[in-house]
Amino acid sequence: FFSAWFGLTWSAMSATTSRRPVFYPNPSPSAGEPFLRGHCSGLGDGPVTVTPCDTGGDPVQLTAADVCPRSEAEPEEGVADAASLAFLNEPSLLDNIARRYAHDRIYTYVGPVLLAVNPYKTLAELYSREAMDAYRGRAIGVLPPHVFALADRARRMILSDRRSQSIVVSGESGAGKTESCRAIVDYLAHHSREEAEDLCTAMLSASPLLEAFGCASTLRNKNSSRFGKLMRIWTAAGGASFSHSSIETYLLEKGRVSNHAPGERTFHVLYYIAAAAAAAGAGTDATAAAAAAAIDWAPLAAVTEAARGGGAGAFRLLCPSGEAAQGGDAAPHDEAWGSTSSPAAEFASVVSALGALGASRGEVQSAAQILGAVLLLGNLHFADDEQDKAKVADERRADLEAAAALLGIGAAGLEQRLTSRTVHSGRGSMYSVRYDRSLADGARDGLARELYERLFGWLVRRIN
């Protein structure tokens, strides 16, 4: 149907004008927009001559298949629903999104689909309580495009049809999936009945926890989710109130614990606890004091000493090549996170969110100790013994003992597991195989990754 409509429209234009407005491919797309505006002459399937509008350059020769029709009647600020464009083709769609983006209109409909473009700045009024109230009960299209409109439609469909609804949020890294999911949950919680207040608080507390433990800074995105997530929300009272919720996670990128590309970071919470450890007892920051009050830092003395002496640079997992942390401290954030953000404050928020979910002080302490053990394990390196086999280097033996104590095991046993493996023969006997330094490095990083993955799994179960 679309092909027939497109062909008829194009033929009608061809019959009425000899200079048709078109989009054509930019010969140097890496230097600018992928498509440029122009006017073309020529009919049929043969070559066409396009005169550029944007560059004022010389006419170019193209084929009819290279150009797409363009309307000159679209408003400067774009249209709210791209399905209403005169020509629904790729260049027109991109041009409309760009027009809207220039006016801070980051949402655009394409029929029932909502397109969102990351504004890379705070648009607080867009997600205010007043905006939530405005979209309640309003059909899609009555108000400007918004993620709240989709959330409200799902809510109203549950109330009217009593059938389950799904919202799929997809996109490339940095597109804003995490923020969109957070806005949807915030909207649904805002309009849930008061008897579900405790559940709503727990659901809203879960988001920053999953971000702290499951997100990391990459070259493209300062808060990139390194796992997949499916959230289910069950309703009661005919859909007017939440009854319970659950979260499933998929494919945590646990390799990021020990390895990440230059300029990228490991998971946020490891920076948070390093910063909080450095500030613990210093008395210079109220947020650090709040975090310190919830954690017994005595077992984490090795972590606090290292963090106070060298910040993030004191831990190999945070700064693999020993370079200074971005921004000069242990934070995984820069100005994109806002000037008020600090890693010590974020750690206090993590502790508070765990409490809101009902985690005991003992559970919070255990989680902190596992994170500390992961950081200390990352600092271990190995030397050759007299048999050219790996052993923990003497200068790192204190880190080995501290990590073992945090995990509740003996230092000798931990070293044995890091430097050897037990082989079971087919005849029921067992023998030990010693590692060289390369294999010991792999065992160390593997243990750090496994500890972190299991802590993340515990967190998800605790949230549920």
Side-chain angles (χ1 to χ4, degrees):
F1 171 80
F2 175 77
S3 298
W5 171 82
F6 178 85
L8 289 171
T9 305
W10 180 260
S11 298
M13 289 186 65
S14 300
T16 57
T17 178
S18 60
R19 284 180 53 82
R20 302 184 300 275
V22 296
F23 288 105
Y24 67 97
N26 187 345
S28 302
S30 60
E33 299 179 358
F35 298 96
L36 299 178
R37 295 175 180 82
H39 291 86
C40 79
S41 59
L43 300 174
D45 297 329
V48 295
T49 301
V50 177
T51 303
C53 294
D54 300 326
T55 62
D58 296 329
V60 294
Q61 296 293 321
L62 299 169
T63 66
D66 292 328
V67 299
C68 293
R70 172 176 62 88
S71 172
E72 294 183 323
E74 307 295 359
E76 178 62 29
E77 67 276 9
V79 298
D81 190 343
S84 65
L85 289 170
F87 302 105
L88 187 54
N89 50 49
E90 181 183 0
S92 296
L93 181 63
L94 294 176
D95 178 67
N96 185 62
I97 293 172
R99 288 170 182 261
R100 294 181 59 77
Y101 188 83
H103 291 80
D104 285 339
R105 298 175 181 178
I106 64 173
Y107 292 115
T108 304
Y109 292 128
V110 184
V113 177
L114 178 69
L115 301 181
V117 184
N118 192 335
Y120 289 100
K121 62 181 179 181
T122 300
L123 299 174
E125 69 282 356
L126 201 59
Y127 305 100
S128 65
R129 292 295 182 258
E130 291 76 12
M132 292 183 183
D133 292 335
Y135 278 87
R136 180 169 185 172
R138 308 299 290 273
I140 289 181
V142 174
L143 294 177
H146 202 297
V147 69
F148 289 165
L150 263 63
D152 189 75
R153 182 180 186 275
R155 186 186 66 84
R156 288 185 287 106
M157 292 296 287
I158 289 176
L159 288 171
S160 61
D161 295 353
R162 305 293 177 89
R163 297 179 62 184
S164 297
Q165 302 293 312
S166 297
I167 299 176
V168 179
V169 183
S170 65
E172 63 180 9
S173 179
K177 299 183 294 297
T178 299
E179 293 296 330
S180 294
C181 289
R182 183 190 299 166
I184 290 170
V185 172
D186 201 12
Y187 181 87
L188 295 175
H190 179 69
H191 291 300
S192 182
R193 289 185 175 176
E194 292 183 359
E195 57 264 29
E197 183 177 354
D198 291 342
L199 176 60
C200 293
T201 299
M203 289 173 57
L204 296 176
S205 297
S207 292
L209 275 177
L210 289 173
E211 289 180 31
F213 282 83
C215 293
S217 177
T218 66
L219 294 176
R220 299 184 62 184
N221 183 4
K222 298 302 180 183
N223 193 35
S224 177
S225 297
R226 312 313 298 170
F227 67 102
K229 179 177 69 175
L230 171 64
M231 174 178 281
R232 290 187 175 95
I233 301 174
W234 283 264
T235 62
S241 178
F242 294 161
S243 63
H244 60 288
S245 175
S246 73
I247 293 173
E248 293 181 32
T249 60
Y250 308 90
L251 300 174
L252 176 71
E253 189 192 8
K254 64 179 181 179
R256 182 169 288 271
V257 172
S258 56
N259 299 286
H260 44 86
E264 296 193 348
R265 301 291 182 88
T266 187
F267 295 102
H268 294 330
V269 73
L270 292 171
Y271 295 91
Y272 296 166
I273 192 171
T284 58
D285 189 342
T287 55
I295 300 295
D296 179 8
W297 292 101
L300 291 148
V303 178
T304 58
E305 182 179 353
R308 288 173 183 172
F315 301 101
R316 183 184 65 87
L317 297 184
L318 305 187
C319 296
S321 58
E323 73 272 15
Q326 190 173 335
D329 57 18
H333 308 321
D334 59 12
E335 62 276 4
W337 284 71
S339 59
T340 60
S341 179
S342 77
E346 296 287 359
F347 186 72
S349 297
V350 167
V351 171
S352 176
L354 283 170
L357 289 168
S360 67
R361 183 161 184 166
E363 288 176 311
V364 175
Q365 179 69 29
S366 295
Q369 291 190 194
I370 292 173
L371 292 173
V374 168
L375 290 176
L376 293 175
L377 282 172
N379 280 358
L380 298 182
H381 63 262
F382 302 91
D384 290 331
D385 62 10
E386 60 277 3
Q387 298 176 348
D388 290 333
K389 299 299 183 181
K391 66 173 184 178
V392 175
D394 292 339
E395 63 270 22
R396 289 300 179 184
R397 193 154 294 276
D399 287 335
L400 172 72
E401 294 172 354
L406 289 172
L407 296 173
I409 59 178
L414 177 58
E415 182 176 16
Q416 181 182 4
R417 294 303 181 187
L418 292 176
T419 57
S420 66
R421 73 179 188 274
T422 300
V423 178
H424 296 262
S425 70
R427 298 180 180 179
S429 61
M430 298 184 297
Y431 59 94
S432 180
V433 176
R434 297 281 307 280
Y435 291 157
D436 59 20
R437 285 187 293 171
S438 176
L439 290 174
D441 286 342
R444 172 203 63 203
D445 291 346
L447 178 58
R449 293 192 295 266
E450 188 69 18
L451 284 170
Y452 192 87
E453 182 181 40
R454 295 195 182 196
L455 178 61
F456 185 79
W458 166 84
L459 176 69
V460 174
R461 291 192 298 273
R462 196 67 185 80
I463 289 172
N464 286 334

